[in-house]
Amino acid sequence: MTTEVAGSTAPGLPQGQTAPTLADELLPEAELVEPPQGPAAPAGVPRWWLAVVLVLVSINLRPALSSVGSVLEELMRDTGASAAFVSVLTTLPVLCLGAFGLAAPPLARRFGTERVVLVTLLAMAAGLALRLFPSFLPLIGSTVVAGAAIGIIGVLMPGLVKRDFPKHASLMTGVYTMALCAGGALGAGATVPLAKAFDSWPAALAFWAAPAVLAAILWWPSIPKRRADQPKPVQYAVTGLWRDRLAWQVTLFTGLQSLLAYIVFGWLIQILRDRGLDAMTAGLTVSGSVLAQVPAALIVPILAARRRDQRGMIILIMTIGLMGMLGCLFAPLSTVAFWALLLGIGQGGNFALALLTIVLRSPDSHVAARLSSMAQSVGYTLAATGPFATGLLHSWTGSWDSVALLYLGVTIAGMACGLGAGRARHVNVTVTPLPQRTTVSGA
C-alpha cells in the first residue's frame, strides 16, 4: 500500500493527533533503531539500574565537546596552534555528529543497539585519552573519534529510552535531556579546576575518558542475548522529502539553531576570558548557561505544541537567545551571569523547538524518522561552519565584534527559516512499505 501525504494546512495539530509529549518530541528516530517487539535488557536487570546507566551514558555525550573551550588559551599557547587549527578543532566534532549519526541505525540493526553503544563508549574513551598528547595528530584524532562516538550514541539512546521505559517515556526523556545538559555543564565548568588540580590541561581534557570507561563497565550487564527468532521491523520507503520546501525549512532551522549553539560551546568561554573574567569564572558562567537549557527544553515545547502554529514562539525564543549572546559580548561584566542564563534559556528552547517542528511537520513516525535524519545530516554539517567561522573572524579582525555580527546574521536567517518551519503544515511525501524478505539466521 502506498500512502500519499499531502502538504496541506493543518489547523493546529494534525487531525487525530494529540499534543505530543516530551518523549514524542525527542524520540523521532526510535522506530529505525529497534523494533517495538525487539529484545529488551536481560531478565534480572532492574529498571532502576537501566535508568542509572542510561543517565551515565548520556552525561558522557557532551564533555568532549564543551571541555576544549575551557582551555583554548592554554592549548594555543603551549602547542603554538594557529587560530585556523583551533577553528578546525572546534568544528570537526560537529561534522562527525552528522556524518556518523547516519550510520547508527544500520549498525544497530546489524549488531544490536546495546553492543554498538558499548563499543562506541570504549572508542570515545580511547579518543579522549589521546588528549594526553598535546600535538596536532593526537588532538585531531581524538576529536574525530569522540565526535563519531557521540554522533552514533546520540541517535541510539532515544530509541532505548522509548523501548525500555514505554510507560514512563516522557519522564525518562526529561531525565535524558537533563543528563545531556549536565554533561555539557560539567565539561565547561570542571575542566579548569581539573587542569589546576593536575597542573596539566591535557590531563584535564583526557580525564573525561574515565567516566566513559565507567559507563561502559556499568553498561555491560544490559546487553541482551541474541535470539534467532527475533522479528525484524517493517521498513518503509519515504520519497519526495528532499524535494519538499517545508522539509528544507525544518532542516535549515534545525541546522542554524545548532550553529548558534556550537559557537557558544566552542568559543564563549574564551570570549569571556578575553573580556576579563578568569578561566574558572568563565567556565562556571558557561556551565550555568548550559544548565539553564534544562527548564527551557522541558517547558517551551509543551507551550509551543498547544498553539495553532509555532512561528511566534520561534521568534520569541530566538530573540531571547540573541539578547543573551549580545549581553555576554557587550554588557558590563558584573551582569554577565544574567545574560548567560538568558542565553541558555534561548538555546534550550531553540533545541526543543527544532525537535518539535520535526514531529509536527510529519504526518507519521516513518516520515518523522526520515525528516529527523535529513535535519541531522544537513543540520550538523551546516552547524559545523559556526565554530570555524568564529575562529577565523576573530583571527582576521582581532575583535569579537565581528562574531556578534555573525551571530546576529545567523539568528535572522534562523528566524526566517523558522517562520516557514513553524507553519501548521505537513511535508509532502509518499510513504510505501517495503516487502519483507524471509531469512533464516542463527545470528
Side-chain angles (χ1 to χ4, degrees):
M1 180 180 66
T2 300
T3 303
E4 284 284 347
V5 182
S8 58
T9 301
L13 295 174
Q15 184 176 2
Q17 182 175 329
T18 58
T21 64
L22 184 62
D24 296 325
E25 293 149 15
L26 296 182
L27 305 182
E29 292 283 358
E31 187 173 6
L32 289 180
V33 177
E34 290 283 352
Q37 67 272 42
V45 178
R47 283 290 177 268
W48 67 265
W49 177 262
L50 291 177
V52 169
V53 293
L54 281 169
V55 167
L56 184 56
V57 171
S58 302
I59 288 174
N60 279 277
L61 300 185
R62 288 298 179 267
L65 304 177
S66 61
S67 59
V68 175
S70 302
V71 293
L72 277 182
E73 186 173 308
E74 290 78 6
L75 186 153
M76 295 178 71
R77 180 196 66 206
D78 294 345
T79 64
S82 65
F85 171 76
V86 172
S87 296
V88 170
L89 199 63
T90 56
T91 298
L92 270 178
V94 190
L95 282 173
C96 292
L97 291 180
F100 289 91
L102 292 174
L107 285 174
R109 288 194 295 269
R110 174 65 180 86
F111 300 105
T113 300
E114 288 85 356
R115 289 178 176 81
V116 174
V117 171
L118 176 65
V119 171
T120 48
L121 276 172
L122 294 173
M124 181 194 302
L128 291 172
L130 284 175
R131 293 181 173 179
L132 276 170
F133 308 99
S135 59
F136 179 80
L137 287 179
L139 287 173
I140 292 294
S142 167
T143 300
V144 171
V145 172
I150 293 167
I152 291 172
I153 297 175
V155 170
L156 299 182
M157 290 301 290
L160 289 172
V161 171
K162 189 170 184 177
R163 189 200 66 188
D164 291 338
F165 301 92
K167 296 182 180 179
H168 305 284
S170 292
L171 173 62
M172 284 304 300
T173 301
V175 172
Y176 166 72
T177 306
M178 288 187 284
L180 287 175
C181 294
L186 281 171
T191 300
V192 170
L194 286 170
K196 292 185 176 181
F198 297 142
D199 194 25
S200 166
W201 62 264
L205 292 179
F207 166 83
W208 299 107
V213 171
L214 176 62
I217 293 171
L218 298 181
W219 183 261
W220 184 277
S222 68
I223 299 178
K225 295 182 179 179
R226 295 192 177 192
R227 287 169 27 202
D229 61 343
Q230 177 183 336
K232 295 183 177 180
V234 177
Q235 299 295 308
Y236 289 83
V238 177
T239 56
L241 191 65
W242 290 80
R243 299 188 301 271
D244 184 73
R245 180 180 180 183
L246 178 57
W248 277 104
Q249 289 169 333
V250 171
T251 296
L252 291 174
F253 172 63
T254 300
L256 290 169
Q257 67 83 29
S258 291
L259 190 156
L260 296 173
Y262 284 104
I263 289 176
V264 171
F265 261 138
W267 291 99
L268 184 56
I269 291 177
Q270 188 60 46
I271 289 171
L272 296 177
R273 292 182 67 175
D274 285 354
R275 290 202 62 200
L277 293 183
D278 63 83
M280 186 172 296
T281 303
L284 291 175
T285 300
V286 175
S287 178
S289 180
V290 176
L291 286 176
Q293 295 181 20
V294 176
L298 294 174
I299 296 171
V300 167
I302 296 173
L303 297 176
R306 299 181 183 215
R307 303 177 65 87
R308 184 181 183 278
D309 63 45
Q310 291 70 49
R311 290 177 290 183
M313 187 67 76
I314 286 172
I315 296 299
L316 173 63
I317 298 301
M318 294 207 80
T319 300
I320 290 174
L322 175 62
M323 292 172 57
M325 185 62 173
L326 293 178
C328 289
L329 284 165
F330 301 116
L333 284 179
S334 60
T335 65
V336 76
F338 166 77
W339 298 109
L341 290 176
L342 203 63
L343 174 62
I345 292 170
Q347 292 199 316
N350 283 333
F351 173 66
L353 285 170
L355 295 172
L356 180 62
T357 58
I358 291 173
V359 173
L360 294 185
R361 303 296 81 87
S362 303
D364 59 42
S365 59
H366 312 299
V367 178
R370 272 52 170 203
L371 181 56
S372 177
S373 180
M374 174 181 174
Q376 174 174 269
S377 59
V378 176
Y380 279 130
T381 301
L382 177 61
T385 64
F388 186 74
T390 300
L392 289 185
L393 282 173
H394 180 62
S395 175
W396 290 340
T397 65
S399 166
W400 295 112
D401 293 353
S402 57
V403 176
L405 292 176
L406 171 66
Y407 204 93
L408 174 62
V410 174
T411 299
I412 293 173
M415 288 180 177
C417 295
L419 287 174
R423 295 174 299 161
R425 295 177 180 270
H426 283 153
V427 293
N428 188 12
V429 297
T430 301
V431 181
T432 308
L434 298 175
Q436 295 290 299
R437 292 187 299 175
T438 302
T439 59
V440 178
S441 173

